[in-house]
Amino acid sequence: TAHSQSLTVEWDTRQTLLPHCCWLSKKYYGYMWAQVYAIDMFETRFRQEGIFNTKTGLDYRTKVLAWGGSRDAFDHLRDFLGREPNSDAFLRYLGLDVKKRDD
């Protein structure tokens, strides 16, 4: 029957490449920065204080999640970390040598 025949499409991946390139770089860049800050929060608070530490979990909920988008994300991070966020933990996660900074 006509329905059982396979459909042949006469094009290649070039048609899908341009739109993909336009938005992918922005999303990937944003994703990478989200990962930088997530690893910073994990290494600074959760790994040091324990991932099941009640106070740490409550701090995360009240200082980061509860605000939603009502204030700047860096204010959440500073409040939760007790310092300026940085990429040191992310660089260590990637296996790169990080020199101690004077915060």
Side-chain angles (χ1 to χ4, degrees):
T1 67
H3 296 307
S4 65
Q5 296 175 358
S6 64
L7 178 64
T8 303
V9 179
E10 301 279 335
W11 53 290
D12 58 32
T13 58
R14 286 179 290 184
Q15 286 86 348
T16 61
L17 185 60
L18 184 60
H20 185 70
C21 288
C22 294
W23 65 264
L24 179 63
S25 60
K26 291 184 283 189
K27 289 187 178 211
Y28 188 72
Y29 183 77
Y31 167 77
M32 291 303 292
W33 277 111
Q35 192 172 15
V36 167
Y37 299 129
I39 291 172
D40 192 13
M41 288 190 292
F42 181 80
E43 292 295 326
T44 300
R45 295 287 310 269
F46 290 101
R47 185 177 300 278
Q48 291 180 13
E49 299 169 20
I51 61 171
F52 296 112
N53 183 298
T54 302
K55 182 187 179 322
T56 307
L58 286 173
D59 280 352
Y60 181 68
R61 187 166 76 185
T62 59
K63 295 180 178 186
V64 178
L65 299 178
W67 290 94
S70 65
R71 70 177 192 169
D72 188 76
F74 280 97
D75 292 336
H76 304 324
L77 287 169
R78 278 190 287 273
D79 195 20
F80 182 69
L81 294 171
R83 60 164 173 76
E84 289 294 315
N86 63 59
S87 59
D88 291 354
F90 180 71
L91 295 173
R92 283 191 299 274
Y93 171 80
L94 294 176
L96 301 172
D97 187 29
V98 179
K99 294 182 180 178
K100 184 77 173 159
R101 58 171 86 214
D102 298 325
D103 284 331

